[in-house]
């Protein structure tokens, strides 16, 4: 374990939000259903703040930085059912700041799921009327410039919290799990998680490298092609390592990411994802979401069936949250 890096990380300004550590529980009925001898779930959906989700971990560092810079409003963006945006609105409310969310596309006729919660939290919302997700990045910068002109002090957060400070929260998550496994005598062979912006994946890979963990972190992309994921994740991990006074510890070739589970596009439910949601609910009493964990667990199911984890030790699935999306425009077939 890189004691120096974690000592430096523990010294970073951080505004505590989540109830940590989040639970780590066995999922024996799900394990049997997908053909794994030993499956565990790391429950970041139970983080206990802002309707949960792993995004809270990075926001602890981002809120502290925003406060240090005397910010008065947090500005971020994504899709209308973004977990990150909803968690950011909760973070702003908790920290006594305002928040503005910039969403791609057109405003839906009815506010549901995460959009409804974001507004309940006091978040102002704007829609770009442009369905190019990249356009949100430009819109965030435009809103920040507008606010500065009006005398406000905005603090911008990229989509998904995809920045070096955001990654640090997930480095700590890797250490948290490492200590939980030690206390349980558990020796996982793999950690499997959904990959969107790459922030969580970068943190888990960097944290695992700093820990010298024997497990392999494997991502299931739900948003981008693997080639793009590898570039983004390696860059984010390098930026976060630099904050910790460490060299880049991860090459693009070391980023293990599985494809084939996005379906028609990011945020569009798939049949396999819906099947995974039903299976987790009925066999284990656990709710996955249609954008991230449902698709990622469908990926884990297919990988297990293909023998990916044959002869290896326990597998841990990272539940990143997102259940509010279950209450927005339910797709056909969910029963």
């Amino acid at each position: 374990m890189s004691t120096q890096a974690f000592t430096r990380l523990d010294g970073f300004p951080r505004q505590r939000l989540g109830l940590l550590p989040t639970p780590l529980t066995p999922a024996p009925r799900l394990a049997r259903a997908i053909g794994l001898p030993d499956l565990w779930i790391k429950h970041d959906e139970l983080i206990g703040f802002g309707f949960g989700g792993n995004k809270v971990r990075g926001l602890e560092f981002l809120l502290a930085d925003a406060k240090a810079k005397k910010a008065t409003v947090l500005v971020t963006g994504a899709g209308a059912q973004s977990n990150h945006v909803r968690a950011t609105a909760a973070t702003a409310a908790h920290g006594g700041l305002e928040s503005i969310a910039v969403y791609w596309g057109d405003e839906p006729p009815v506010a549901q799921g995460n959009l409804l919660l974001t507004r309940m939290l006091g978040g102002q919302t704007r829609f770009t009327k442009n369905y190019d997700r990249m356009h949100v990045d430009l819109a965030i910068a435009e809103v920040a410039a507008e606010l500065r002109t009006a005398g406000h002090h905005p603090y911008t957060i990229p989509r998904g919290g995809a920045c070096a400070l955001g990654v640090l929260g997930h480095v700590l998550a890797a250490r948290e799990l490492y200590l939980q496994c030690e206390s349980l005598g558990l020796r996982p062979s793999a950690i499997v998680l959904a990959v969107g912006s790459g922030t969580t994946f970068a943190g888990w890979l960097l944290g695992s490298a700093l820990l010298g963990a024997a497990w392999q972190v494997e991502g299931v992309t739900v948003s981008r092609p693997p080639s793009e994921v590898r570039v983004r994740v390696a860059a984010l991990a390098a930026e976060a390592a630099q904050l910790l006074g460490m060299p880049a510890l991860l090459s693009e070739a070391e980023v293990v990411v599985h494809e084939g589970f996005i379906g028609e596009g990011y945020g569009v439910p798939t049949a396999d994802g819906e099947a995974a949601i039903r299976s987790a609910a009925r066999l284990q009493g656990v709710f996955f979401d249609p954008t991230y964990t449902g698709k990622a667990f469908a990926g884990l199911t297919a990988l297990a069936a293909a023998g990916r984890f044959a002869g290896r030790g326990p597998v841990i699935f990272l539940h990143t949250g997102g259940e509010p999306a279950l209450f927005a425009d339910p797709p056909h077939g969910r029963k």
Side-chain angles (χ1 to χ4, degrees):
M1 179 185 293
S2 176
T3 305
Q4 178 183 352
F6 281 106
T7 298
R8 183 159 183 168
L9 177 53
D10 287 331
F12 262 79
R14 178 182 171 200
Q15 180 73 53
R16 296 299 180 95
L17 300 171
L19 302 178
L20 303 173
T22 57
L24 173 65
T25 64
R29 285 168 57 80
L30 266 182
R32 287 194 294 272
I34 68 173
L36 287 177
D38 200 1
L39 173 67
W40 293 66
I41 299 176
K42 175 65 170 164
H43 290 278
D44 269 12
E45 86 279 20
L46 300 179
I47 207 163
F49 176 81
F51 232 108
N54 66 319
K55 300 299 185 182
V56 172
R57 293 183 180 274
L59 286 164
E60 292 189 334
F61 289 90
L62 292 164
L63 177 59
D65 191 47
K67 288 274 198 177
K69 292 176 178 175
K70 310 298 183 185
T72 58
V73 55
L74 303 183
V75 184
T76 193
Q81 290 306 319
S82 167
N83 302 309
H84 161 71
V85 169
R86 179 252 306 153
T88 299
T91 298
H94 181 83
L97 308 177
E98 295 182 18
S99 66
I100 298 179
V102 181
Y103 297 117
W104 63 69
D106 297 302
E107 182 174 355
V110 179
Q112 300 174 317
N114 280 316
L115 175 58
L116 174 63
L117 294 174
T118 295
R119 288 177 173 170
M120 288 178 65
L121 290 161
Q124 301 176 45
T125 58
R126 304 187 185 187
F127 289 82
T128 65
K129 301 185 184 300
N130 185 322
Y131 282 85
D132 181 354
R133 288 186 285 165
M134 297 291 289
H135 189 71
V136 169
D137 303 331
L138 299 175
I140 289 173
E142 290 170 358
V143 169
E146 174 188 318
L147 290 168
R148 291 189 193 96
T149 300
H152 300 286
H153 300 283
Y155 184 91
T156 60
I157 301 176
R159 285 181 292 145
C163 59
L165 276 179
V167 170
L168 294 184
H170 306 292
V171 174
L172 285 181
R175 182 178 67 178
E176 179 180 301
L177 179 66
Y178 185 86
L179 294 174
Q180 287 175 308
C181 290
E182 277 197 335
S183 69
L184 293 168
L186 185 66
R187 298 180 180 275
S189 64
I191 315 297
V192 178
L193 68 155
V195 182
S197 70
T199 314
T200 301
F201 198 15
W204 276 84
L205 285 167
L206 177 58
S208 299
L210 292 172
L211 290 162
W215 63 53
Q216 181 162 11
V217 184
E218 304 191 17
V220 177
T221 181
V222 301
S223 177
R224 309 166 192 277
S227 57
E228 185 179 344
V229 170
R230 294 187 188 100
V231 172
R232 287 177 61 88
V233 167
L236 284 166
E239 291 167 11
Q242 187 175 28
L243 288 181
L244 300 177
M246 301 292 291
L249 301 175
L250 183 70
S251 69
E252 292 177 21
E254 295 173 288
V255 179
V256 179
V257 57
H258 303 284
E259 62 179 328
F261 307 97
I262 297 175
E264 294 181 16
Y266 172 78
V268 181
T270 63
D272 287 343
E274 291 296 298
I277 291 170
R278 288 193 299 272
S279 179
R282 294 173 182 180
L283 293 176
Q284 211 67 58
V286 173
F287 290 108
F288 293 150
D289 80 290
T291 301
Y292 290 94
T293 50
K295 290 183 179 181
F297 199 82
L300 174 57
T301 300
L303 292 168
R308 174 78 183 177
F309 306 105
R312 297 167 64 178
V315 174
I316 296 177
F317 182 73
L318 177 58
H319 192 327
T320 53
E323 299 95 322
L326 290 169
F327 302 98
D329 295 325
H332 298 298
R334 185 178 298 155
K335 299 178 180 178

